[in-house]
Structure formats: C-alpha cells, structure tokens
Amino acid sequence: MRLLALFLALTLTPTLAPAQAPGEVRLAANKPYRHKPTGLLIPVSIDGLPRTRVVAWEADTDEAVNFQSADGREAISIYIFRNVTGAIPVWYDRTAWVIGHRDLYGGATAVVPPAAFVPPQQRNASALIGSYRPGKGPFKSTGAAYVPIGPEWYVSVRYSSASLAPEALDARLRSVIAAIEWPRKIEPQPDAAPVADCGQPLVTSGEAQVATGDKLGASALFGGLMASAARDDKKKMNAIDPPVVWCRDTGTYAGLEAHGVYRPVGTSDRYLIAFQDAGRGLWVGPDELAALIDKDASPSWSLAVVGIADTTQYANRDRLPPPTQALAISNKEQFTSKATTWGKKRNVTIGEGALK
C-alpha cells in the first residue's frame, strides 16, 4: 500500500509493507524537492501545509514528499515513480480500491468519480482525478490524482482533509498539482479513462506445468538481456507501439485479495497482477521470444515480476497459469533471469538450472 503508507506518516503504519522500508531523504528546511531524472520541483509548502518528510523506497525511481498540518487534520502526499508496467488507469484503480478498503476511511465511496483532465504542460487529458467520502474516521474527504510525465514517469497526488467536503476537494487537488513546477517539455501521452471490467473471462485450463524444450534456456538469457535494454528504448517503443488499453479482470483469486488482475482489452490469454498500488506487478503472457528462437516449439507462457528497477523472470509454463498459481511461482521458485532496468550499470543474472 505504498501510496497510502506515508499518509499521516507519523501516525500510520501500512498493513502490507513494500518490498523494502523507505529511507529518509534529508533536505534543508528551505530547499525544495527536485526529482533528478525529470527536473520536477516541489516547493517546501503547498496549500499552507509544510513539508514534513521526504522518503525513497528506491532512490530516484520511487520517492514521496509529505505535507501535513500540525494537528494532522490536513495531509498531502506526492509520489514520483517509474512507469514500468500497467498504465495510469490501472494504478488509479488500485489506489481507488485501497481507499475503498482502508479501515481508516471506513468504506469510502466516490463522490466525484474519476475523470480525465489535462495536466500542466500537457495538451490532452492524460491524467485522472477523483474524490471520495470516508464512511468513518477523522477525515471528511480524501482524493487522488495521477499524472504522467512522458512515457516513463508517474506522479500521484493524495489529499485527505478533515475540513473539506469531497465536492470541494477536487479543486484543492488541482491547486496542489498547479503548485508543482513541472518540466517544460513533456512528451504527450495517451488520453486516460477510468478502467472498466473486462468483457470476457480469463481462459485457463488447469494448473500449468514447467515447459520443456532445448531453446527455453536461451529464451531466459535473451529475455533477461532484452528486459535490461528495453527500458532505454521506451521512448522509441512508445512512438511505435499503440498504447495498451487495460480492463479489470473480475475473477476471484485466493491470495490476491490485496492485488488486482488486469488484462489488455480483447485478450484472454495474458494478464497483469498489479501488486497493491505501488507501480509493480507480475506479467504473465505468451512467450513470443521463445517462438522466434524455435519455430517448432510448442506454445509457452512467460512469467516476469516487473519491479521499479529490475525485472525477474521465471520458468516458462506449458499453458496459461491461473493467477493464484502465478503468484505462488513468483514467491517460491528460483528465477531463471534477473535484469536491472535502471542506472548506468546493468546486470543480468541467470538463475540456477535455467540453462539445463
């Protein structure tokens, strides 16, 4: 629950912790926060609230800036993280789910439903915003907005207020967004729209087994190399490949109660398990690379945990594994390759047994 974990950071503890604890980022009290990779600048106070904390789960790639009134009745959190999987509609939907299920808000309901808007320095409605009324607790309203910065970065703004009604929070969220100094040039991103339920069910046929084949080891190796290199070509890929439109899978899967399953619209043979609301996920889909390496090979499905700064792949399966099985594989099995996707130094580690 990263996007809620730091809300009222001095008093709240997340139910589900991220992969690693956030580290404090020390800044002088009068020094604004600057996100190095994008140049995004966040002032020392917003909407009359002083900055209380800056933290990083992973330096540069996953950071947050918190603002809070002295009495804790007003709180803002601004998160900056890499776009490594999913899309604005997916991650907004995950945050909305957390808001609706967080005990602090007592079953919050949408009052200003999520809607697309045009963010600063952009020309189309690439962002989403919405406001909610808590069913209980100290706050009268809570809300969220998601804004892309080009193809590789997201900014999420959270605001909770004990004084403002949900109908008024929308304008306050927009004022927070306007107070941020955005990069002057932002590459246009696709129009955003709230994610909808998928129109057809996910098609699985029992538990998947490890796929066999002489070329699967090579697929693991090249898959790791491609994962490491692909992040550098994201801008080019974004210009060539049409944007994926996601839908929400409506299945019920044991062990995934805190996560969400999403699919590209019109597909039933692939899916993304979006972990909590933290920008990371498990992608499962047909292994097109293995088919290119061995044209006579039987179809197989790849599994990859996509992190903010690395991608971890697991042994291919002979059919599409159900989401519960896929999650168990990522939690228990030895990876076949692990590739860093951020920073000057890139490493690809091949797991034991991948080339046997």
Side-chain angles (χ1 to χ4, degrees), residues 167-328:
E167 295 84 353
L169 191 65
D170 181 85
R172 195 62 64 88
L173 272 167
R174 293 173 190 267
S175 72
V176 172
I177 293 168
I180 298 171
E181 185 176 318
W182 299 85
R184 292 184 178 181
K185 293 183 178 180
I186 298 177
E187 182 180 344
Q189 294 304 294
D191 288 344
V195 71
D197 289 345
C198 296
Q200 56 191 43
L202 187 67
V203 177
T204 59
S205 56
E207 186 168 298
Q209 305 298 319
V210 174
T212 59
D214 295 338
K215 305 297 178 61
L216 288 178
S219 176
L221 174 60
F222 286 114
L225 292 171
M226 290 182 66
S228 183
R231 305 310 308 176
D232 296 328
D233 293 329
K234 188 169 181 60
K235 185 174 182 179
K236 296 178 182 178
M237 293 168 64
N238 188 66
I240 296 172
D241 296 336
V244 174
V245 178
W246 295 87
C247 62
R248 182 194 307 110
D249 187 275
T250 58
T252 300
Y253 307 106
L256 274 71
E257 291 80 6
H259 311 304
V261 179
Y262 299 85
R263 293 187 272 130
V265 170
T267 67
S268 58
D269 63 348
R270 64 198 69 195
Y271 57 84
L272 170 70
I273 300 176
F275 293 152
Q276 300 173 5
D277 59 353
R280 302 151 171 86
L282 171 58
W283 170 251
V284 182
D287 189 344
E288 298 173 355
L289 179 61
L292 289 175
I293 293 174
D294 186 356
K295 295 181 180 179
D296 298 324
S298 298
S300 63
W301 276 257
S302 63
L303 298 84
V305 172
V306 185
I308 291 295
D310 56 43
T311 296
T312 304
Q313 295 185 315
Y314 295 86
N316 279 17
R317 258 49 191 185
D318 64 351
R319 68 194 69 187
L320 180 69
T324 298
Q325 183 190 8
L327 187 63

Side-chain angles (χ1 to χ4, degrees), residues 61-84:
T61 58
D62 192 5
E63 300 186 336
V65 186
N66 281 12
F67 301 82
Q68 185 175 310
S69 62
D71 59 9
R73 289 170 57 83
E74 311 292 321
I76 300 170
S77 291
I78 302 174
Y79 302 87
I80 306 96
F81 61 101
R82 289 181 75 209
N83 166 17
V84 293

Side-chain angles (χ1 to χ4, degrees), residues 24 35 93-94 121 138-140 172 230 261 296 330 355:
E24 191 95 17
H35 183 240
D93 193 59
R94 295 309 306 146
Q121 306 293 4
F139 299 117
K140 288 185 177 180
R172 195 62 64 88
V261 179
D296 298 324
S330 69
L355 299 180

